[in-house]
Amino acid sequence: MAVSHFDPRRHGYFGADVGGTLAKVMFYEPDNDTVISKVREFVLSSTTYGSTGQRDTQLTVNLPKAKLHFILFETSRMHQAIKLIRSQNMLSGVKSISVTGGGAFKFSELVKDELGCLITKRDEMYCLIHGLNFLLRNVSNEVYYFVEPEDDTNEETAICDVREEMFPYLLVNLGTGVSILKVSGWDDFERVSGSGLGGGTYYGLCRLLTQAKDFKATLDEAVKGDGNACNMTVGDIYGGSYGSLGLDANMTASFFGKVTMEDSYRENIKEADICKALLYMVTNNVGQIAYLNARLQGLKNIYFAGNFLRTNKIAMKYLSKAIHFWSGGEMKALFLHHEGFFGACGAFLDSDQPNTCEPS
Ligand code: ADP
């Protein structure tokens, strides 16, 4: 879709993706529009809102006569968000909002009652792919990869311009859970696999086993931690490498397996070590499933998206390393600047269509 096609009378101003953990909103701000002046004033007055709301200014897309802004907050704060919008009368003049994700169903009555605004429900996978394809086509530096996937300490990245040859690709959406899709064209996709071991597993287990107060705090801890304080390595079992199988002494044989060994190991484990081991456990598992699906589908380009990767360089490096390792350097882990916002973007793009999704 060409960017010049947006007309607020048909598309409205928002697309939202209300997921199990996070609510993502894309705000379309046309120049000189008076209907959304209150929203504009509120959104641009800050980059943080309430206790969990954030706007990623580096993700703003400048279009010829408009801007796209990207905002998220925790879904658990939905009632407070609605209260705030209502108290400032921000949505007067906005008749409907195009929403995807489970929250499109869960909060639809509440939004209608409290804000007098209709929720138009959109199919989640369709929005995800539509939004991603749109940004792949229209943002030249959307895709990047790590130049040295094998070197944990090297965070250098390079841009990969895929606009001339976008398809086919494998998309691994790493949100609360994991969905894996084969994408062959603009509207041609298939969900080929998935896993319940995703970002929600990491964050949930961190909350259960440590005092980290929010997602960022778990990542700050993980940076300082040593995963092998919890994980049983090949070296713990063999006293060194298992050369004939190519297994290095440092390789993980069993996540958290070391906790079952001597008591002294257990006593010395720090919260940072737990966060690091959990992060490695989830990303390693996703990396392996991603590689196997790419092989099954005969695809070389694997895009990783979803908010689990938000400000999460360690996870991205682990995924890059895993894909490089399993594929013998043939496949590449590709990352996306708007990683968690494709569903919200797709809901906006789709908003000139009638309701495309009803609960069954
Ligand atoms: P969903 O649509 O299922 O909510 P997302 O793509 O939004 O999925 O990703 C949710 C995951 O993102 C969480 O499970 C967590 O791992 C991670 N995450 C990133 N930032 C935050 C945050 N500020 N609060 C909570 N989880 C976050």
Side-chain angles (χ1 to χ4, degrees), residues 48-61:
T48 58
Y49 318 94
S51 59
T52 66
Q54 289 169 42
R55 175 166 59 99
D56 284 336
T57 49
Q58 78 281 9
L59 297 186
T60 304
V61 175

Side-chain angles (χ1 to χ4, degrees), residues 257-277:
K258 203 175 241 160
V259 185
T260 66
M261 296 174 85
E262 294 165 31
D263 283 345
S264 62
Y265 287 148
R266 188 177 172 186
E267 283 148 21
N268 288 324
I269 290 171
K270 300 182 196 66
E271 292 201 348
D273 303 332
I274 296 175
C275 293
K276 182 72 161 273

Side-chain angles (χ1 to χ4, degrees), residues 4-79:
S4 55
H5 284 183
F6 304 141
D7 174 358
R9 282 167 302 182
R10 284 195 296 124
H11 282 93
Y13 300 92
F14 306 97
D17 172 9
V18 182
T21 312
L22 295 172
K24 286 76 63 179
V25 181
M26 201 202 83
F27 168 41
Y28 173 62
E29 183 207 358
D31 292 349
N32 311 318
D33 188 292
T34 51
V35 177
I36 37 87
S37 54
K38 278 192 181 154
V39 182
R40 174 189 286 129
E41 202 180 304
F42 174 78
V43 168
L44 299 185
S45 68
S46 179
T47 53
T48 58
Y49 318 94
S51 59
T52 66
Q54 289 169 42
R55 175 166 59 99
D56 284 336
T57 49
Q58 78 281 9
L59 297 186
T60 304
V61 175
N62 291 302
L63 301 176
K65 284 183 180 160
K67 288 189 179 68
L68 304 178
H69 300 283
F70 296 88
I71 299 154
L72 60 72
F73 61 91
E74 289 184 13
T75 307
S76 60
R77 306 291 296 172
M78 185 58 82
H79 287 88

